[in-house]
């Protein structure tokens, strides 16, 4: 009885055995709600925690396994991390197995506990049972940290040399992981690679090829060293293809496709840029390409890899054509995956083998109509890559049709692509404008913001199409004012060419009859419409203003402008106030200011990035050379006012001169400059009139001068343009890329007197045959004692390559007294204008 | 290399997750969420490849389970379909007509089989029989009679 009582008590004190894993899984799956499941999990976790606390060896394995299941459901399991380590250290295989699994799932290298595994792994790498060694290799090879890899690389290297193929293959992939984590350790594995390829075992062969590939990809020396393996690799591949049926490695009639593909990939790396190796693999590639069974995915996987290899190495042209034709056949395959892969590969080769890919153009274009989204995207990218001067009309028809019908996710990219292609290959200006119109009207809301300034530039430069363009845009506005890019471009054009619109001058198509009032109605409608964004409103207000010099209904325009002088939108208000001032105080300048925009020159260096941020909105920045009659920067700065360039204060960059009457007949510099008053400036704006250190966002292409300076400055020597009374002005030069007719001159003004030169203004004028543009200066204070320089950029367009001459005017205040000086600069180095 | 391999059901329940790159827990959760969302949103007869960030996602549906792998740019997508298929074959051979329930209740076995087939994101063994043989031998190493009879102590 005593014994019974005792054992009874003993039983009572022991916790009941933790429930089995499968039991837990079954129980949890019966939970009908998330809350119920959570409750079960919490209960079990509590039980597991107390079991862990008891340091129970028997059930640790079971508890960790359950923890791993709950972890997969998304519940925290970190309190089991140390338990995994204990399992790994156990002698029982069952424990180790679950312990290592737990380590791989719970113990990534970010955990501190991770390193504690190192010793266990090291011991297990030397275990007497290969499967324990295998567990250790697997864990190390999947998630070993750099430290662990460093510590254990030696053991891995040892195992790489073993004759046990089970261990050898695992060691090979473990080595791959070590190299990925600690590339410097690559060298130590080199000796062990010596006879890896002589193995018969496919597992070892495959992993060896992976290891060799990794080494060759990472080190050109290794690559050179392993090139000698090409014949051996070719032989192995040949055996695989020629050998009879091998049940162990067969996949749908093909022997070990995994190994074949990896060998092909390694051959690709070895043959790239090497004639001899490429030649050595030529035959086998041709053989694989022609003999592989293509009815199943597995055969096509091998063909795909073969094609990639052929295209990458120095293969003979016959082989390349064969490869492209295979891709062409892929395009016609019923299997979507194969079509997708073909399009992807063709995209890679379209640059190098353009003509060959062109032959498949119609098939590619057909893929635009495929139902599969991935295929459509690839087909679109490839189609754009294939557009050239010969096929532009046909291709554009297809692409525009695609644009009409495609999913919204494609529209932005497609529209951009169309614009780019049209810009490059447009067969005529009319076609170009029509294409743009088509995009704007069908996908107008998806067009990127930066397209607007680009389109404006394009339209401006198509002088003969102005009437046609404005008419079409006007008609489009009548239909729909919801698509902002369209509305913005249209407003801008109407502002510019409204006179052509009402005069009915269109040649290309039937001119429409429209009155000034109707046009103003439309523009005013934009101002009040809920559909218009603030940016659009800005465009329409400016457009209305411009029409004041083109239309006769000036009073109406005056009224609109004055109304918006009290708009709550600060941007609109500012514009309106300034335009109002134009009407009142500066009415004599209005015609000049609102003149037709000159031809804009393309700066392809920065293309779409010429955006100026103003109050968080983007507006077009316009790079313009001087207006042909030599009203130099006045016109520029004035137009700047109207186009609302400039920084956050909407103050135009009228640093240099004030606009006056347009072109004086003589065109000689002095008169022009003499007439101008420098007192400060532009119509009042709620900001200081002379902006200091105005960053020149506008012309980013030029602001990248520092780069240019390094590259090109050496070509053209700098010069001293002016040196008097302590003020020295140096000119440095570079050529504007890509237009060699433009010289970019940077002035550097320095002051050797003992007082600062304030209100420093630099102006320049050039003879008639040149065009000049002056950008904003870095500041208007030249610090004393050469403590700093003021820099400013001048761009001179010199299409006739005449000798460059320049007249400069300098004004500044020194110690309270104003100073003014005029000077001629004639000593330009010949390289700056030749 | 394969960056990760995920198995999940049509209801978006994760059945297996193998990570061959070091992602943080947060990143893992994000990947899992994104993958489930991407794959479950696909039309029935779409192609099995999706471009996601800088990775190629390959997925295939087997009965009620989606097998989803994230590949690097240099990997052969068509071959990775074969890799997924091979894994399913290995599971099928081990469990005999494998179904989702087998993987739910024997998830640790699914991992063990995977670890004999793939390692560090690469194919470790290309022979079906070799993998099956390893599984058989390691199962026998599990100590108790119970485990030997496929009734594990845990």
């Amino acid at each position: 009885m005593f014994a019974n009582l005792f054992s009874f008590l003993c039983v009572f004190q022991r916790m009941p055995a933790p429930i089995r894993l499968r039991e837990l899984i079954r129980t949890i799956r019966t939970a009908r709600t998330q809350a119920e499941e959570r409750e079960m999990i919490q209960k079990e976790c509590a039980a597991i925690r107390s079991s862990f606390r008891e340091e129970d060896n028997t059930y640790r394995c079971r508890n960790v396994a359950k923890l791993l299941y709950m972890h997969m459901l998304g519940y925290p399991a970190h309190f089991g991390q140390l338990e995994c380590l204990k399992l790994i250290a156990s002698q029982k295989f069952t424990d180790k197995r679950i312990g290592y699994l737990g380590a791989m799932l719970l113990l990534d290298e970010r955990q501190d506990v991770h390193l504690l595994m190192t010793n266990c792994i090291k011991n297990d790498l030397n275990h007497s049972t290969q499967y324990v060694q295998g567990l250790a290799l697997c864990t190390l090879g999947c998630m070993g940290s750099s430290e662990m890899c460093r510590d254990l690389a030696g053991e891995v290297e040892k195992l790489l040399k073993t004759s046990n193929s089970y261990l050898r293959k695992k060691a090979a992939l473990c080595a791959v992981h070590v190299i990925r984590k600690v590339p410097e350790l690559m060298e130590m594995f080199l000796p062990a690679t010596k006879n890896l390829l002589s193995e018969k075992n496919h597992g070892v062969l495959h992993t060896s090829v992976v290891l060799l590939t990794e080494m060759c990809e990472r080190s050109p020396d290794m690559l050179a060293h392993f090139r000698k393996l090409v014949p051996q690799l070719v032989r192995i591949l040949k055996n695989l293809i020629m050998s009879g049926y091998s049940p162990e490695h067969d996949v749908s009639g093909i022997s070990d496709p995994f190994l074949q593909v990896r060998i092909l990939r390694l051959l690709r790396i070895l043959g790239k840029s090497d004639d001899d190796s490429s030649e050595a693999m030529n035959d086998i590639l041709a053989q694989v390409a022609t003999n592989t069974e293509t009815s199943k995915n597995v055969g096509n996987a091998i063909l795909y890899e073969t094609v990639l290899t052929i295209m990458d190495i120095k293969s003979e042209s016959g082989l390349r054509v064969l490869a492209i034709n295979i891709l062409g056949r892929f395009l016609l395959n019923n299997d979507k995956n194969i079509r997708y892969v073909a399009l992807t590969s063709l995209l890679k080769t379209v640059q190098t083998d353009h003509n060959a890919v062109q032959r498949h153009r119609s098939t590619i274009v057909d893929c635009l109509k495929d139902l599969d989204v991935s295929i459509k995207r690839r087909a679109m990218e490839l189609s754009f890559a294939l557009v050239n001067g010969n096929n532009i009309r046909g291709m554009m028809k297809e692409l525009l049709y695609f644009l009409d019908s495609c999913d919204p996710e494609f529209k932005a990219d497609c529209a951009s692509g169309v614009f780019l292609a049209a810009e490059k290959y447009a067969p005529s200006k009319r076609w170009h404008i029509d294409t743009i119109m088509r995009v704007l009207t069908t996908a107008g809301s998806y067009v990127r913001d930066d397209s607007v300034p680009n389109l404006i530039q394009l339209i401006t430069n198509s002088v003969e199409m102005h009437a046609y363009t404005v008419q079409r845009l006007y008609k489009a506005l009548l239909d729909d004012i919801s698509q902002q890019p369209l509305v913005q471009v249209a407003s801008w054009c109407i502002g510019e060419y409204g006179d052509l619109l009402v005069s009915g001058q269109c040649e290309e198509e039937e001119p429409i009859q429209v009155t000034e009032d109707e046009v103003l109605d439309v523009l005013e409608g934009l101002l009040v419409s809920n559909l218009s964004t603030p940016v659009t409103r800005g465009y329409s207000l400016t457009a209305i203003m411009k029409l004041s010099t083109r239309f006769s209904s000036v009073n109406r325009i005056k009224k609109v402008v004055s109304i918006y002088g009290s708009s709550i939108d600060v941007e609109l208000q500012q514009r309106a106030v300034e335009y109002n001032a134009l009407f009142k105080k500066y009415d004599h300048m209005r015609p000049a200011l609102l003149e037709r925009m000159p031809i804009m020159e393309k700066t392809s260096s920065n293309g779409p990035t010429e955006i100026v941020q103003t109050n968080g909105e983007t507006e077009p920045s316009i790079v313009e050379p001087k207006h042909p009659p030599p009203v130099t920067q006045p016109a520029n700065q004035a137009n700047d006012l109207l186009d609302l360039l400039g920084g956050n204060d909407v103050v135009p960059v009228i640093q240099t001169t004030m606009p006056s009457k347009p072109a004086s007949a003589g065109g000689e510099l002095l008169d022009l400059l003499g007439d101008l008053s420098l007192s400060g400036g532009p119509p009042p704006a709620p900001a200081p009139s002379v902006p200091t250190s105005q960053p020149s966002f506008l012309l980013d292409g030029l602001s990248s001068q520092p780069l240019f300076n390094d590259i090109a400055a050496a070509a053209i020597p700098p010069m001293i343009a002016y040196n008097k009374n302590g003020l020295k002005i140096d000119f440095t030069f570079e050529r504007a890329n890509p237009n060699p007719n433009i010289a970019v001159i940077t002035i550097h003004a320095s002051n050797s007197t003992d007082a600062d030169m304030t209100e420093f203004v630099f102006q320049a004028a050039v003879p008639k045959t040149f065009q000049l543009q002056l950008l904003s200066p870095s500041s208007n204070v030249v610090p004393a004692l050469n403590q700093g320089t003021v820099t400013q950029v001048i761009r001179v367009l010199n299409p006739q390559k005449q000798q460059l001459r320049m007249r400069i005017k300098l004004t500044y205040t020194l110690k309270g007294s104003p100073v003014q000086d005029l000077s001629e600069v004639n000593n330009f180095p010949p390289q700056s204008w030749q | 290399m394969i960056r990760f391999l995920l198995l999940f059901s049509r209801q978006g329940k994760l059945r297996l997750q193998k990570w061959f790159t070091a992602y943080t827990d947060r990143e893992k959760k994000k990947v899992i969420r994104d993958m489930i969302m991407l794959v479950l949103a696909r039309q029935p007869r779409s192609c099995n490849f999706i471009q996601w960030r800088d990775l190629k996602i390959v997925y295939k549906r087997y009965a009620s389970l989606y097998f989803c792998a994230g590949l690097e740019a240099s990997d052969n997508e068509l071959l990775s379909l074969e890799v997924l298929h091979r894994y399913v074959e290995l599971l099928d051979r081990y469990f005999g007509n494998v179904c989702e329930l087998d993987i739910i209740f024997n998830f640790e076995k699914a991992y063990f089989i995977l670890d004999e087939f793939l390692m560090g994101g690469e194919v470790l063994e290309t022979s079906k029989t070799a993998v099956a043989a390893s599984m058989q031998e390691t199962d026998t190493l599990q100590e108790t009679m119970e485990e030997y009879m496929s009734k594990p102590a845990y």
Side-chain angles (χ1 to χ4, degrees):
Chain A
M1 189 191 130
F2 215 65
N4 285 345
L5 189 60
F6 185 67
S7 55
F8 178 74
L9 285 168
C10 285
V11 165
F12 238 105
Q13 270 160 13
R14 259 181 48 211
M15 296 284 286
I19 70 167
R20 289 165 178 272
L21 171 64
R22 320 279 174 226
E23 192 61 49
L24 177 68
I25 297 177
R26 208 169 291 124
T27 312
I28 291 178
R29 282 172 63 79
T30 63
R32 276 158 300 170
T33 64
Q34 186 73 359
E36 215 181 315
E37 182 185 277
R38 212 176 309 131
E39 209 184 300
M40 290 179 189
I41 303 261
Q42 273 169 1
K43 193 164 145 228
E44 185 57 36
C45 278
I48 292 178
R49 261 192 246 249
S50 29
S51 190
F52 283 162
R53 271 197 297 272
E54 283 184 12
E55 299 280 339
D56 188 313
N57 289 339
T58 328
Y59 296 112
R60 180 175 289 123
C61 184
R62 181 185 291 188
N63 286 325
V64 170
K66 287 187 287 185
L67 203 53
L68 292 180
Y69 177 73
M70 296 188 286
H71 176 252
M72 180 134 68
L73 292 180
Y75 295 92
H78 45 270
F79 57 91
Q81 286 169 359
L82 271 174
E83 303 299 314
C84 293
L85 289 183
K86 293 180 196 166
L87 283 176
I88 292 173
S90 156
Q91 288 312 307
K92 292 167 69 176
F93 184 71
T94 317
D95 284 355
K96 280 189 192 286
R97 230 181 173 186
I98 293 290
Y100 276 118
L101 178 60
M104 283 195 274
L105 288 175
L106 302 180
L107 282 176
D108 66 57
E109 52 186 68
R110 263 159 266 268
Q111 317 291 342
D112 301 320
V113 187
H114 181 87
L115 266 176
L116 296 175
M117 267 201 291
T118 314
N119 217 36
C120 283
I121 294 186
K122 185 165 188 175
N123 291 335
D124 283 342
L125 283 174
N126 292 301
H127 204 273
S128 49
T129 313
Q130 70 174 19
Y131 293 108
V132 174
Q133 290 173 293
L135 284 176
L137 281 169
C138 179
T139 307
L140 181 60
C142 279
M143 42 84 80
S145 63
S146 318
E147 295 87 20
M148 278 173 68
C149 288
R150 259 184 245 272
D151 286 341
L152 300 170
E155 305 294 328
V156 176
E157 196 259 347
K158 245 180 3 198
L159 288 171
L160 192 51
K161 296 191 281 216
T162 174
S163 54
N164 178 332
S165 45
Y166 178 80
L167 289 177
R168 209 166 185 205
K169 73 188 184 198
K170 292 206 173 197
L173 285 188
C174 197
V176 169
H177 178 82
V178 168
I179 292 173
R180 282 177 181 157
K181 279 301 207 189
V182 193
E184 307 90 74
L185 290 175
M186 185 162 38
E187 291 284 325
M188 73 183 282
F189 294 108
L190 186 53
T193 60
K194 218 160 148 173
N195 47 13
L196 274 178
L197 291 185
S198 344
E199 267 271 3
K200 290 282 175 271
N201 180 294
H202 280 225
V204 178
L205 267 179
H206 185 277
T207 56
S208 303
V209 172
V210 173
L211 176 58
L212 292 169
T213 308
E214 189 71 29
M215 292 168 99
C216 291
E217 276 175 341
R218 285 180 183 269
S219 157
D221 290 336
M222 292 286 184
L223 177 57
H225 172 81
F226 285 125
R227 275 223 175 87
K228 59 179 191 264
L229 293 177
V230 169
Q232 201 173 2
L233 288 165
V234 168
R235 237 184 355 261
I236 298 174
L237 188 52
K238 196 160 187 158
N239 285 337
L240 283 173
I241 300 170
M242 309 289 273
S243 70
Y245 175 74
S246 155
E248 217 187 325
H249 300 111
D250 179 87
V251 180
S252 304
I254 296 183
S255 188
D256 207 339
F258 305 103
L259 182 55
Q260 288 194 37
V261 165
R262 282 321 294 235
I263 293 180
L264 285 164
R265 189 163 149 183
L266 181 54
L267 286 175
R268 176 155 80 245
I269 295 168
L270 294 174
K272 196 169 179 149
S273 331
D274 188 272
D275 290 321
D276 292 332
S277 305
S278 299
E279 207 189 306
M281 53 182 86
N282 208 67
D283 286 344
I284 191 68
L285 290 174
Q287 201 177 351
V288 175
T290 37
N291 291 342
T292 307
E293 182 66 49
T294 59
S295 55
K296 292 262 177 68
N297 179 67
V298 58
N300 289 317
I302 295 178
L303 269 184
Y304 175 40
E305 196 74 32
T306 312
V307 164
L308 290 177
T309 300
I310 293 175
M311 299 313 291
D312 241 15
I313 63 172
K314 292 181 162 255
S315 44
E316 46 176 56
S317 58
L319 201 53
R320 290 182 91 82
V321 171
L322 179 59
I324 302 249
N325 287 344
I326 291 177
L327 290 180
R329 277 207 307 277
F330 273 6
L331 278 181
L332 301 167
N333 197 305
N334 282 330
D335 188 334
K336 280 202 206 316
N337 295 330
I338 297 185
R339 289 210 298 279
Y340 177 86
V341 147
L343 288 170
T344 310
S345 316
L346 285 170
L347 199 53
K348 278 191 228 153
T349 61
V350 73
Q351 305 301 335
T352 46
D353 292 81
H354 192 88
N355 291 330
V357 180
Q358 281 284 358
R359 258 179 254 133
H360 300 279
R361 196 175 69 241
S362 50
T363 323
I364 293 168
V365 166
D366 280 340
C367 289
L368 285 172
K369 307 192 183 82
D370 199 302
L371 295 167
D372 187 288
V373 162
S374 310
I375 291 183
K376 271 207 272 243
R377 179 162 285 281
R378 284 283 184 258
M380 181 183 82
E381 289 164 2
L382 194 47
S383 299
F384 279 120
L386 287 177
V387 171
N388 61 28
N390 293 328
N391 58 34
I392 177 78
R393 284 188 194 264
M395 287 297 277
M396 203 47 89
K397 230 194 288 200
E398 299 283 348
L399 288 164
L400 285 172
Y401 179 73
F402 176 70
L403 181 64
D404 279 342
S405 52
C406 68
D407 299 327
E409 63 184 285
F410 289 114
K411 289 212 198 242
D413 290 330
C414 191
S416 298
V418 167
F419 286 147
L420 255 147
E423 196 173 318
K424 273 203 255 180
Y425 302 113
S428 75
K429 287 238 157 85
R430 159 103 189 241
W431 181 94
H432 198 169
I433 305 270
D434 283 342
T435 304
I436 293 174
M437 289 295 307
R438 176 88 180 268
V439 175
L440 285 180
T441 46
T442 55
S445 11
Y446 298 97
V447 155
R448 295 217 169 85
D449 289 339
D450 58 16
S451 323
V452 172
N454 283 344
L455 293 177
I456 287 177
Q457 184 178 46
L458 178 66
I459 291 170
T460 310
N461 291 351
S462 318
V463 179
E464 63 279 14
M465 303 297 301
H466 284 169
Y468 172 70
T469 311
V470 69
Q471 181 162 295
R472 287 211 57 188
L473 283 169
Y474 179 76
K475 284 199 274 194
L477 269 193
L478 293 176
D479 278 333
D480 172 20
I481 58 167
S482 65
Q483 305 191 84
Q484 299 305 294
L486 172 62
V487 175
Q488 287 167 12
V489 175
S491 311
W492 191 92
C493 284
I494 295 174
E496 272 294 298
Y497 312 121
D499 48 324
L500 300 177
L501 186 59
V502 299
S503 66
Q505 280 182 25
C506 184
E507 285 174 359
E508 301 281 341
E509 62 174 25
E510 187 67 37
I512 59 172
Q513 308 293 338
V514 60
T515 66
E516 290 184 3
D517 276 321
E518 284 170 335
V519 174
L520 287 172
D521 284 340
V522 168
L523 287 176
E524 285 186 46
L526 294 175
L527 273 175
V528 301
S529 166
N530 284 337
L531 296 167
S532 299
T533 63
V535 173
T536 305
R537 280 186 239 265
Y539 271 89
S540 24
L541 186 61
T542 303
I544 293 175
M545 184 60 188
K546 284 195 205 171
L547 290 175
S548 71
T549 52
R550 293 158 174 74
F551 283 3
S552 50
S553 18
V554 182
N555 284 328
R556 177 173 176 179
I557 294 175
K558 268 195 202 167
K559 228 191 289 177
V560 174
V561 166
S562 72
I563 290 173
Y564 279 89
S566 40
S567 162
I568 12 170
D569 181 334
V570 177
E571 176 67 33
L572 276 185
Q573 187 195 106
Q574 197 157 28
R575 290 182 192 219
V577 164
E578 289 174 11
Y579 297 160
N580 241 340
L582 258 189
F583 275 123
K584 299 202 165 67
K585 261 173 83 179
Y586 296 97
D587 203 45
H588 55 287
M589 285 197 265
R590 192 163 46 88
L593 276 170
L594 304 177
E595 255 178 359
R596 187 83 92 225
M597 207 54 88
I599 306 242
M600 296 177 219
E601 156 211 306
K602 282 188 185 192
T603 48
S604 49
S605 56
N606 47 333
T609 63
E610 288 179 287
I611 304 266
V612 174
Q613 296 294 123
T614 311
N615 299 336
E617 295 152 4
T618 56
E619 302 184 77
S621 79
I622 301 186
V623 178
E624 41 184 356
K626 252 174 55 359
H627 197 78
V631 175
T632 61
Q633 55 283 4
N636 277 349
Q637 312 314 346
N639 285 329
D640 290 349
L641 165 61
L642 238 24
D643 293 294
L644 302 148
L645 303 168
N648 290 324
D649 323 312
V650 183
V651 176
V653 183
I654 303 193
Q655 180 78 335
T656 49
T657 60
M658 283 297 292
S660 76
K661 358 181 173 40
S664 54
E668 258 312 294
L669 327 167
L670 189 53
D671 297 340
L672 228 54
L673 296 179
D675 274 346
L676 303 169
S677 82
L678 296 164
S679 55
S689 55
V690 176
T692 51
S693 25
Q694 195 70 260
S696 24
F697 292 118
L698 331 172
L699 296 139
D700 285 341
L702 288 188
S703 303
S704 61
Q705 280 163 48
L707 272 139
F708 277 93
N709 273 331
D710 292 336
I711 300 165
I716 308 175
M719 58 179 267
I720 301 176
Y722 177 92
N723 194 352
K724 225 155 88 171
N725 299 331
L727 174 63
K728 178 152 99 73
I729 301 198
D730 296 298
F731 282 5
T732 57
F733 302 89
E734 59 249 12
R735 286 261 166 240
N737 239 335
N739 188 341
N741 290 336
I742 299 180
V744 178
I745 305 172
T746 308
I747 71 147
H748 307 261
S750 54
N751 166 14
S752 59
T753 70
D754 59 1
D756 290 347
M757 294 172 177
T758 56
E759 289 168 54
F760 175 77
V761 172
F762 172 91
Q763 297 156 73
V766 288
K768 237 194 320 197
T769 53
F770 296 81
Q771 289 178 18
L772 181 144
Q773 181 182 24
L774 196 59
L775 312 191
S776 40
S778 60
S779 115
N780 62 349
V781 175
V782 192
L785 300 169
N786 294 323
Q787 282 169 27
T789 59
V790 166
T791 56
Q792 195 164 5
V793 175
I794 312 171
R795 298 177 88 212
V796 182
L797 178 66
N798 181 8
Q800 293 179 28
K801 297 238 188 259
Q802 297 210 338
Q803 179 174 14
L804 182 56
R805 282 161 42 218
M806 193 183 280
R807 215 163 236 183
I808 61 177
K809 181 169 180 178
L810 306 151
T811 51
Y812 53 92
T813 302
L814 183 62
K815 293 182 186 161
S817 344
V819 179
Q820 186 174 309
D821 197 9
L822 278 171
S823 172
E824 273 213 34
V825 184
N826 286 324
N827 52 333
F828 285 97
Q831 304 99 306
S832 64
W833 47 268
Q834 270 169 355
Chain B
M1 64 177 270
I2 301 174
R3 294 270 185 95
F4 54 81
L5 176 65
L6 305 173
L7 267 63
F8 47 87
S9 69
R10 265 213 70 75
Q11 287 75 40
K13 294 221 147 190
L14 194 64
R15 299 301 180 203
L16 187 141
Q17 49 174 322
K18 189 75 186 177
W19 302 92
F20 296 111
T21 7
Y23 287 123
T24 62
D25 275 339
R26 238 180 106 176
E27 286 165 345
K28 284 183 192 170
K29 286 197 163 55
K30 174 103 176 49
V31 170
I32 293 170
R33 244 196 340 261
D34 284 356
M35 288 304 106
I36 293 179
M37 212 169 56
L38 267 177
V39 169
L40 292 182
R42 295 284 279 184
Q43 300 293 339
R45 265 177 296 280
S46 312
C47 88
N48 298 84
F49 311 127
I50 310 173
Q51 188 68 31
W52 179 79
R53 300 195 187 164
D54 61 331
L55 296 181
K56 300 196 261 207
I57 307 299
V58 178
Y59 73 95
K60 191 127 195 242
R61 183 172 167 191
Y62 288 90
S64 58
L65 267 186
Y66 283 98
F67 287 66
C68 172
L71 310 176
E72 293 181 337
S74 50
D75 291 324
N76 183 325
E77 303 95 305
L78 296 179
L79 189 73
S80 58
L81 281 174
E82 296 299 321
V83 170
L84 292 180
H85 191 76
R86 172 58 66 90
Y87 182 44
V88 174
E89 284 180 328
L90 293 171
L91 290 169
D92 191 72
R93 185 154 167 171
Y94 184 82
F95 289 110
N97 283 333
V98 68
C99 62
E100 188 183 346
L101 272 182
D102 290 318
I103 299 180
I104 294 171
F105 279 94
N106 303 282
F107 69 92
E108 83 282 5
K109 292 283 165 62
Y111 277 106
F112 298 153
I113 296 170
L114 187 61
D115 288 341
E116 292 299 318
F117 174 47
L118 298 178
M119 194 170 121
E122 308 280 358
V123 170
L124 168 66
E125 177 56 66
T126 59
S127 154
K128 280 187 272 200
T129 40
V131 175
S134 307
M135 282 308 291
Q136 212 170 15
E137 294 196 26
T138 47
D139 281 350
T140 50
L141 274 184
Q142 299 205 172
E143 269 79 359
T144 66
M145 240 351 235
E146 260 188 332
E147 281 144 14
Y148 185 70
M149 304 295 284
S150 311
K151 281 214 208 102
Y154 54 82

